Amino acid sequence: MTRTSTGERKGAGPGSSRTVAATIHELLGEPPQVRVVAPDGSSAGPDAGRVLRIRTTRGLSYIATHPGQLGFVRAYLQGDLVVDGMDEAYPYEELKLLGGLDLRRPPLREVPDLLRMARATGLRVPELPDLETPSELRKLAHGLRHGRRRDAEAVQHHYDVSNRFYEMLLGPSMTYTCAVYPHEEASLEEAQEEKYDLVCRKLGLRPGMRLLDVGCGWGGMVRHAVRHHGVTALGVTLSRAQATWAQERIAAEGLTGAEVRHADYRDVTERGFDAVSSIGLTEHIGVRNYGRYFAFLRDRLRDEGRLLNHCITWRDPDRAPMRQGDFVFRYVFPDGELAASGRIVTEMERVGLEVQHHENLRAHYARTCGAWCENLRDHWDECVAEAGLATARVWGLYLAGSRLSFERGGIQLHQVLATRTGADGGTGYPLRPRF
């Protein structure tokens, strides 16, 4: 058996009494390169490891009352947990050492040690950080999940942080979706331009066509398609801040034929579009609503029109991610849901769309998240001044963790291209497309 630096035996059995630091180190999965220091002076882990410090009894309270992902995140966001030397804008290396954000919940055999820790340190249930969204039960007061009111509130929580904050985080493209890197040395801006053009090429856009872009964000796809492909484009977003920014940019650029509305996609009454793009919206609508969603988009298309769905997906079709107790669900994407790419394809086919092409871009999203972290690092002080330290910490943690998850394949990014095939079987799709 190995020994910690405090001299206690690890794995001594259910009846043993571990120190506070040793209990926390075990909750973290006993990472071999991380040393834990608790506020009572105890420590555990290698002497040469990166030091994770629980600075206060309140920090212990967060961990003891929710000994999984959320407990550690709450302590970190409140400043009660620090890792010596960590770059808060880009904590990628620290998350690698800790195994990512997929922290385990303690088994029953560890409960006695947690209870002893609670009694020894006078723990209590602390207040939640201001940025944490309510539990599912409390959110019922705002309507059922994925009802119009809840959807609007969820989008506003995530996207209405501050347009200035997003300008610094995302860069000039103001594009908060996976970029497509045309070559190894491509910049983030080049890759975002390539992503928009790839979508346009897949949709077969030509001058005079009509495009609907649902969940249009700050209007990047709308502006690119109008400027470079000569289409008329309508974008809709539930975020008023996004819509206002996009409308101002369209006016400043003098783009005719480009329109962005502050509206729910379900309020679009126009039909007969030649193409529909959905870039990063499917994550917000709920898996059970996929059928209605794709049927609605199908009905906006003319026969032989094309739909391109671009969204984050989950690798494992038999496991539901983004649990209500996860960091991402409570701090980043309230009411967010993911599914495996096969579910996307199946639901498209169920409503009569014909899938023509399916592509996984997860390696590109890992690079994109890293580039956003670099932007956050370059503008850290300004971002903190604009949105607050806790918000900046959330984004650093979220994006660095996302990079790691995309690299490891736990989450992916799929583009699925489909046609509204006519009754005669006509698709308007080439025999061998060249994207």
Side-chain angles (χ1 to χ4, degrees):
M1 290 183 291
T2 59
R3 291 177 180 269
T4 66
S5 59
T6 56
E8 76 214 76
R9 286 186 180 273
K10 291 165 59 178
S16 66
S17 180
R18 298 181 182 88
T19 65
V20 170
T23 301
I24 295 171
H25 194 250
E26 188 163 342
L27 286 175
L28 291 169
E30 298 182 325
Q33 295 175 286
V34 176
R35 178 176 177 79
V36 173
V37 177
D40 66 349
S42 64
S43 61
D47 291 335
R50 294 293 299 276
V51 179
L52 183 152
R53 299 182 188 275
I54 311 298
R55 301 169 63 184
T56 66
T57 298
R58 184 177 68 170
L60 288 178
S61 298
Y62 282 123
I63 295 169
T65 55
H66 205 296
Q69 188 182 99
L70 265 186
F72 285 93
V73 168
R74 287 167 176 165
Y76 168 64
L77 294 180
Q78 296 289 73
D80 299 318
L81 180 157
V82 298
V83 178
D84 289 0
M86 185 175 81
D87 180 353
E88 292 191 298
Y90 202 169
Y92 172 76
E93 294 299 332
E94 289 75 15
L95 291 178
K96 282 181 69 176
L97 291 178
L98 293 170
L101 283 172
D102 191 21
L103 301 178
R104 67 186 182 89
R105 294 181 182 276
L108 287 175
R109 65 180 175 81
E110 295 177 10
V111 171
D113 282 316
L114 286 172
L115 292 175
R116 276 191 290 271
M117 185 174 78
R119 287 195 298 269
T121 54
L123 303 185
R124 59 182 178 80
V125 179
E127 72 283 359
L128 298 182
D130 291 339
L131 289 176
E132 185 166 324
T133 58
S135 67
E136 181 64 22
L137 182 62
R138 290 174 59 195
K139 284 195 289 188
L140 285 175
H142 297 254
L144 295 176
R145 189 189 300 184
H146 302 302
R148 287 176 178 251
R149 180 182 177 188
R150 281 271 294 269
D151 277 355
E153 290 179 352
V155 166
Q156 289 159 11
H157 171 87
H158 190 64
Y159 296 106
D160 288 1
V161 175
S162 155
N163 281 335
R164 177 57 187 150
F165 175 84
Y166 280 112
E167 286 172 347
M168 293 183 284
L169 178 73
L170 303 178
S173 70
M174 280 294 274
T175 299
Y176 179 45
T177 50
C178 173
V180 175
Y181 286 79
H183 54 83
E184 289 290 334
E185 291 74 32
S187 69
L188 174 62
E189 294 306 307
E190 290 172 326
Q192 291 293 12
E193 186 84 357
E194 173 64 18
K195 184 268 300 298
Y196 284 134
D197 212 64
L198 176 63
V199 173
C200 290
R201 297 193 304 265
K202 286 183 174 181
L203 290 173
L205 296 185
R206 301 186 304 275
M209 283 186 166
R210 296 172 63 223
L211 168 70
L212 170 64
D213 184 39
V214 291
C216 69
W218 290 272
M221 176 65 187
V222 167
R223 291 182 287 114
H224 182 95
V226 170
R227 184 187 306 111
H228 296 288
H229 294 269
V231 303
T232 298
L234 167 63
V236 292
T237 173
L238 274 173
S239 167
R240 185 178 297 279
Q242 286 182 334
T244 299
W245 192 98
Q247 290 159 359
E248 291 173 352
R249 181 57 60 91
I250 288 169
E253 294 178 4
L255 288 176
T256 57
E259 178 187 358
V260 168
R261 296 176 189 167
H262 173 227
D264 193 298
Y265 75 90
R266 289 163 287 199
D267 292 329
V268 175
T269 58
E270 293 92 332
R271 294 174 181 255
F273 288 95
D274 299 283
V276 174
S277 52
S278 172
I279 306 175
L281 178 57
T282 317
E283 298 90 331
H284 295 283
I285 66 170
V287 176
R288 292 183 179 179
N289 296 322
Y290 282 180
R292 287 189 292 272
Y293 177 66
F294 289 122
F296 181 90
L297 299 184
R298 175 206 63 204
D299 291 346
R300 309 275 81 70
L301 285 168
R302 62 167 175 81
D303 280 352
E304 301 188 3
R306 299 184 194 179
L307 164 65
L308 187 287
N309 192 78
H310 167 122
C311 72
I312 300 171
T313 57
W314 183 245
R315 178 179 62 185
D316 188 347
D318 298 319
R319 180 180 164 217
M322 294 181 73
R323 297 162 297 188
Q324 295 177 24
D326 286 351
F327 159 66
V328 172
F329 190 92
R330 296 295 285 269
Y331 283 91
V332 185
F333 282 116
D335 292 347
E337 294 182 50
L338 303 180
S341 64
R343 181 69 180 269
I344 303 288
V345 171
T346 296
E347 296 292 348
M348 283 184 163
E349 292 175 338
R350 278 179 176 158
V351 301
L353 293 164
E354 184 175 3
V355 172
Q356 303 288 354
H357 190 266
H358 183 182
E359 181 176 9
N360 185 359
L361 297 169
R362 76 170 176 89
H364 294 264
Y365 218 162
R367 293 176 68 117
T368 305
C369 290
W372 287 333
C373 278
E374 291 172 0
N375 283 344
L376 183 60
R377 173 198 288 156
D378 291 344
H379 299 92
W380 178 255
D381 291 341
E382 298 163 274
C383 285
V384 169
E386 180 67 25
L389 179 59
T391 295
R393 283 174 170 165
V394 164
W395 279 91
L397 194 63
Y398 164 59
L399 293 176
S402 294
R403 175 190 164 183
L404 193 59
S405 294
F406 281 115
E407 286 178 345
R408 293 177 173 177
I411 52 176
Q412 303 175 343
L413 188 289
H414 282 87
Q415 287 188 351
V416 180
L417 178 64
T419 54
R420 174 172 168 158
T421 301
D424 61 355
T427 65
Y429 197 75
L431 285 174
R432 296 300 298 167
R434 296 187 180 184
F435 302 135

